[in-house]
Amino acid sequence: MSTIAFIGTGIMGKPMAVNLQKAGHQLVFSEHFNQVPTDLIAAGGIAFPTPKAATEQADYIILMLPNTPQVEEVLFGKDGVEEALTAGKVVIDMSSISPIETKQFAARVKESGAEYLDAPVSGGEVGAINAALTIMVGGEESSFEKAKPLFEVMGKNITLVGESGAGQICKVANQIIVALNIEAVSEALVFASKAGADPARVREALMGGFANSKILDVHGERMIKGTFDPGFKIALHQKDLDLAISGAKTLGVSLPNTVMAQGLFDQCVAMGGEGWDHSAMIRAIEQLADHEIRK
């Protein structure tokens, strides 16, 4: 069993930390920003005041933070992780952040003698709770093999995609596909409902055919019931699509449907939905159609 400094116990991070504790690992936390959830402490977790103090106790340092600036601050800010890194420690960033800056962070961490993996995840809150996340990893194969037993506690589909930054590139690609699938399911259900069919029965029928997907299954149900409490917030998906669109511009790649999906998320934000689950994109489609599928 390992000692793990786990930094970032939000919607996704907390259940991931719970699963590591259930597997018998000792978790330590940093309270530099927020207090640690009391149930993680009750399960044996130990709180320290700074990322540096938590890192001093740990073999592995796992980050699950909202965006690139937060990762940079925790790693390299005052009393950050970097100040306590030594040879043999492994930093695992499971946040979804910039692939370009990830490569820079990895190089800087490696200068200390420590190892670095970028390992963003997909599967949302449900996947985190059920230890069924897809984990996309960038870094050295030796570091990946060392950390793999931890990944297996949190996820099911675990892939070493390539060198540092490759995990983040894969996550951006994932978020393009997810956003466009949400948009497609939204359009289909609004079309069916406005044409006079029961969207719940339409979804049930489609789940038996080639149009079936996890988005139709999980988010289609959310759309029909109108349960948009966040498993993954629109604001976070917007951040990921910003990475896709800016990266595409640098590469000279056109992503027309990704830009459209981002526009629909923008429309949701204008409606006050920054904190809605990303399945609430359907509300933008409903507004355009002047029709809600929920009776």
Side-chain angles (χ1 to χ4, degrees), residues 129-266:
I129 291 169
N130 294 328
L133 293 168
T134 290
I135 305 176
M136 303 154 259
V137 188
E140 297 293 332
E141 186 170 2
S142 57
S143 302
F144 172 73
E145 292 299 331
K146 187 185 295 188
K148 193 173 181 181
L150 303 185
F151 294 145
E152 289 172 340
V153 171
M154 296 180 281
K156 298 291 186 187
N157 182 26
I158 303 157
T159 306
L160 178 62
V161 181
E163 60 187 16
S164 292
Q168 296 295 353
I169 292 168
C170 187
K171 178 59 187 288
V172 171
N174 178 87
Q175 295 302 81
I176 292 171
I177 293 170
V178 170
L180 270 55
N181 269 271
I182 292 173
E183 196 277 337
V185 171
S186 298
E187 282 195 16
L189 293 182
V190 170
F191 167 80
S193 177
K194 193 160 187 178
D198 180 344
R201 293 190 179 184
V202 169
R203 170 181 166 271
E204 182 180 349
L206 294 177
M207 285 176 61
F210 203 56
N212 192 21
S213 68
K214 285 188 177 180
I215 299 296
L216 181 63
D217 181 6
V218 177
H219 287 344
E221 184 176 29
R222 283 177 174 267
M223 293 171 185
I224 289 163
K225 292 182 177 179
T227 52
F228 297 123
D229 293 336
F232 188 74
K233 293 180 181 180
I234 281 175
L236 292 176
H237 207 145
Q238 284 189 299
K239 176 259 298 182
D240 294 337
L241 294 190
D242 280 341
L243 293 174
I245 293 165
S246 61
K249 185 175 181 180
T250 300
L251 294 167
V253 174
S254 177
L255 301 177
N257 290 328
T258 302
V259 171
M260 177 188 64
Q262 185 74 307
L264 293 169
F265 280 142
D266 289 342

Side-chain angles (χ1 to χ4, degrees), residues 3 7 20 36 40 42 53 56 59 61 65 73 79 85 95-96 102 109 117 120 193 210 216 231 256 272 277 279:
T3 300
I7 302 174
L20 288 166
V36 180
L40 292 175
E56 286 172 343
D59 309 304
I61 303 91
L65 300 166
E73 173 68 21
D79 293 320
L85 288 178
S95 321
S96 297
T102 289
V109 164
L117 295 169
S193 177
F210 203 56
L216 181 63
D277 185 79
S279 59

Side-chain angles (χ1 to χ4, degrees), residues 7-42:
I7 302 174
T9 51
I11 290 173
M12 295 288 290
K14 181 182 173 182
M16 293 163 67
V18 166
N19 286 327
L20 288 166
Q21 286 184 322
K22 287 179 178 177
H25 298 287
Q26 173 66 61
L27 264 62
V28 298
F29 304 93
S30 170
E31 293 194 318
H32 67 288
F33 186 72
N34 280 328
Q35 281 194 321
V36 180
T38 54
D39 48 344
L40 292 175
I41 300 300

Side-chain angles (χ1 to χ4, degrees), residues 59-134:
D59 309 304
Y60 297 88
I61 303 91
I62 295 179
L63 310 183
M64 193 61 184
L65 300 166
N67 207 343
T68 308
Q70 288 79 26
V71 172
E72 183 173 22
E73 173 68 21
V74 165
L75 286 176
F76 308 118
K78 185 179 186 312
D79 293 320
V81 168
E82 183 184 42
E83 295 182 18
L85 288 178
T86 56
K89 293 182 186 286
V90 183
V91 175
I92 307 171
D93 181 23
M94 303 189 78
S95 321
S96 297
I97 68 167
S98 163
I100 294 171
E101 292 186 65
T102 289
K103 293 178 183 180
Q104 297 168 356
F105 296 167
R108 185 165 170 179
V109 164
K110 289 175 184 177
E111 288 175 1
S112 70
E115 301 167 56
Y116 189 97
L117 295 169
D118 53 288
V121 304
S122 179
E125 183 183 18
V126 172
I129 291 169
N130 294 328
L133 293 168
T134 290

